[in-house]
Amino acid sequence: MRILDKKIVGSRALLVFDDGKEVEIDREVYLEKGLYAKDEIDQKELEEVLFESGLKNAKKMLVSYIQRYPLKSEYGYYKYLLSRGYDSATALKAVAYFVNSGYIDEMEAAKKLVNKYQKKKSSFEILQLLRKNGFKSSTISKLNLKHENDKEILVKLLQKKLRRVNKKDSKEILKIIKWFVSRGYDYNTVVEKIREFLDY
């Protein structure tokens, strides 16, 4: 394909081809690939240039996103790039670049999330949160979740919930039991603590 015109506008370079097609690429890629000295380019080379250009932009976008949201999984960053219109190959390569350079550390992010929620959520809820946010099973399995904190959290939450409950209202108490069990608390422990609080 013949290149009829080339111009640099800010951080982008515009190429105009003889078939009327116009392509914008990253200025650095334009200079690195020496396109300023070319009058022709074949389809394969153009595709490679466009991929490199997209990858460069994806990396720039990902850097600022990582700085704003440092506690995401690799999949979370990949999904973000897809949502910004990047194709799967570009998103994967951009994420892999930051993983290899140590800028994305999924294990470290998972540990920080565990520390953040250890005193507020049950270990089951934390696991659900990690899964929902796309953390890999291999990462989750290496975490040391402290189940002993579950009882402390259970006691605090039960105290709050039981303040407003009439102890003769078995439907309301059953609702509370279901609420805790759905969040991963042990049924017998929940019932035992409710009995303690309500003097059953």
Side-chain angles (χ1 to χ4, degrees):
M1 293 184 322
R2 272 180 20 90
I3 303 169
L4 293 182
D5 193 19
K6 308 166 204 151
K7 54 180 165 230
I8 291 177
V9 184
S11 63
R12 317 288 292 155
L14 179 71
L15 301 181
V16 181
F17 295 96
D18 57 357
D19 60 0
K21 186 176 173 183
E22 291 186 6
V23 171
E24 260 192 32
I25 58 169
D26 184 84
R27 180 186 173 181
E28 287 173 34
V29 173
Y30 171 79
L31 296 171
E32 280 166 19
K33 300 285 181 186
L35 294 177
Y36 52 85
K38 291 190 178 189
D39 294 326
E40 278 195 53
I41 186 170
D42 64 38
Q43 188 61 37
K44 188 172 182 282
E45 193 183 352
L46 180 61
E47 280 168 17
E48 283 170 12
V49 165
L50 288 172
F51 182 78
E52 283 300 315
S53 180
L55 184 58
K56 197 151 219 143
N57 290 326
K59 285 177 185 175
K60 284 177 191 168
M61 190 170 272
L62 201 50
V63 165
S64 60
Y65 189 70
I66 294 167
Q67 287 168 340
R68 277 184 295 152
Y69 303 100
L71 299 182
K72 294 243 176 222
S73 63
E74 290 171 25
Y75 179 71
Y77 293 122
Y78 166 76
K79 229 168 80 175
Y80 168 73
L81 287 175
L82 290 185
S83 76
R84 305 301 295 176
Y86 290 96
D87 63 274
S88 183
T90 304
L92 280 171
K93 202 153 185 186
V95 171
Y97 172 81
F98 289 111
V99 169
N100 294 334
S101 61
Y103 204 60
I104 293 175
D105 186 337
E106 185 169 278
M107 192 67 204
E108 214 38 56
K111 282 178 184 170
K112 283 178 183 169
L113 274 174
V114 168
N115 289 339
K116 183 179 176 184
Y117 291 111
Q118 193 92 61
K119 296 266 188 267
K120 299 173 195 161
K121 293 180 182 288
S122 71
S123 41
F124 175 78
E125 284 178 292
I126 294 170
L127 282 175
Q128 293 297 90
L129 179 82
L130 292 169
R131 284 192 190 110
K132 186 180 154 201
N133 285 295
F135 284 88
K136 291 184 286 219
S137 300
S138 56
T139 302
I140 293 170
S141 67
K142 288 176 195 156
L143 293 169
N144 185 20
L145 285 173
K146 297 183 179 103
H147 296 283
E148 58 267 24
N149 287 343
D150 291 0
K151 227 172 215 179
E152 285 174 40
I153 298 163
L154 171 67
V155 168
K156 282 180 196 167
L157 288 172
L158 264 176
Q159 283 173 328
K160 275 185 198 168
K161 285 197 171 286
L162 292 173
R163 263 188 227 136
R164 300 182 290 266
V165 171
N166 177 350
K167 68 175 176 179
K168 291 183 178 80
D169 188 348
S170 56
K171 271 188 185 172
E172 200 56 39
I173 289 166
L174 194 60
K175 243 197 236 174
I176 289 171
I177 293 169
K178 278 183 182 170
W179 188 87
F180 278 100
V181 171
S182 73
R183 278 154 182 77
Y185 293 95
D186 175 62
Y187 171 82
N188 293 326
T189 310
V190 173
V191 171
E192 181 192 313
K193 289 290 167 197
I194 286 175
R195 283 195 176 127
E196 276 176 34
F197 285 132
L198 298 180
D199 297 323
Y200 271 10

